[in-house]
Amino acid sequence: MKIDFTVCVYCGSSCGSNPLHKEAVRAIGAEIAKNNIGIVYGGGGVGMMGILADSAIQNNGKVVGIMPEYLITQEAKHEGLSELKIVENIHIRKKLMEDAADAFLILPGGIGTLDELFEVLVLKSLEQLEKPVIIFNSEGYFDGVISMIRKMQEDGFVSVKSGQHFRVADTVGEVMEMLKEWKIENGK
């Protein structure tokens, strides 16, 4: 399969308590693969990461994982990936994922997912990163985060420009439309 566009996906190493998130992540993995979009992600075989990778792989997708050595046992590396890169630490992981991506997709997750989201938004606000960012607000999961960013913007801590460094998708269909749009815009 020829991949001409790659999305970096940040999501949880656990599944959380809302089964609707799992179904949405499963659908996103399948749709990304069916549209010849590659995935680069944290390499885990459990939680939302595992669901995403499994779904994409079942639909003949290309999935590349990048995992720090010390997380192999904690996040149970995925054994069926197109490629798994083992790196020294989380900082190297994030940099390699950023470099490999044409766009970023944020799915439900925990503190690590928020860290990755905010790192990408900081890089965009400092004009060190031009790639698009989609926050998938499955079942309103990111309402609080989005609201906080908007409040920071209202109170003058985040510039209007910085506050526009991401788009929000509420459905799998919206996520795919945004990815397809950026894929076309980039001539891919």
Side-chain angles (χ1 to χ4, degrees):
M1 169 187 292
K2 183 180 181 298
I3 300 298
D4 44 29
F5 187 83
T6 300
V7 62
C8 175
V9 182
Y10 297 130
C11 58
S13 60
S14 67
C15 287
S17 60
N18 186 338
L20 296 176
H21 296 320
K22 290 191 288 190
E23 291 309 311
V25 169
R26 188 171 285 113
I28 284 175
E31 288 301 312
I32 287 173
K34 289 175 187 175
N35 283 278
N36 296 330
I37 298 172
I39 294 172
V40 61
Y41 84 119
V46 296
M48 293 298 188
M49 287 197 286
I51 292 169
L52 173 79
D54 288 343
S55 179
I57 291 165
Q58 289 165 1
N59 286 278
N60 300 313
K62 180 178 179 185
V63 184
V64 174
I66 303 175
M67 178 177 273
E69 190 170 6
Y70 57 83
L71 285 182
I72 289 175
T73 55
Q74 190 175 357
E75 291 182 0
K77 72 179 178 180
H78 199 291
E79 298 293 341
L81 301 177
S82 306
E83 183 180 358
L84 178 64
K85 298 177 183 178
I86 305 299
V87 297
E88 187 179 336
N89 60 51
I90 201 85
H91 303 293
I92 294 170
R93 173 201 220 178
K94 288 196 271 188
K95 177 67 173 142
L96 290 175
M97 289 170 71
E98 289 165 13
D99 290 347
D102 295 300
F104 296 88
L105 175 58
I106 316 305
L107 304 179
I111 300 291
T113 303
L114 288 178
D115 171 62
E116 292 159 335
L117 166 63
F118 283 111
E119 179 165 326
V120 170
L121 293 180
V122 166
L123 290 172
K124 286 184 70 76
S125 72
L126 296 172
E127 299 179 357
Q128 299 300 301
L129 186 68
E130 297 290 325
K131 301 169 185 178
V133 176
I134 303 169
I135 297 175
F136 177 47
N137 197 26
S138 172
E139 301 297 312
Y141 183 77
F142 287 106
D143 282 350
V145 172
I146 295 164
S147 177
M148 186 65 211
I149 293 170
R150 300 293 184 231
K151 176 67 173 159
M152 292 160 67
Q153 188 176 1
E154 287 172 21
D155 288 354
F157 290 103
V158 173
S159 71
V160 172
K161 185 178 175 188
S162 292
Q164 297 170 341
H165 285 318
F166 62 91
R167 291 177 65 187
V168 178
D170 294 317
T171 67
V172 173
E174 289 176 5
V175 168
M176 293 313 301
E177 284 304 312
M178 289 176 193
L179 288 174
K180 288 177 193 176
E181 176 184 313
W182 286 319
K183 184 177 171 182
I184 292 166
E185 283 176 10
N186 289 293
K188 308 239 179 182

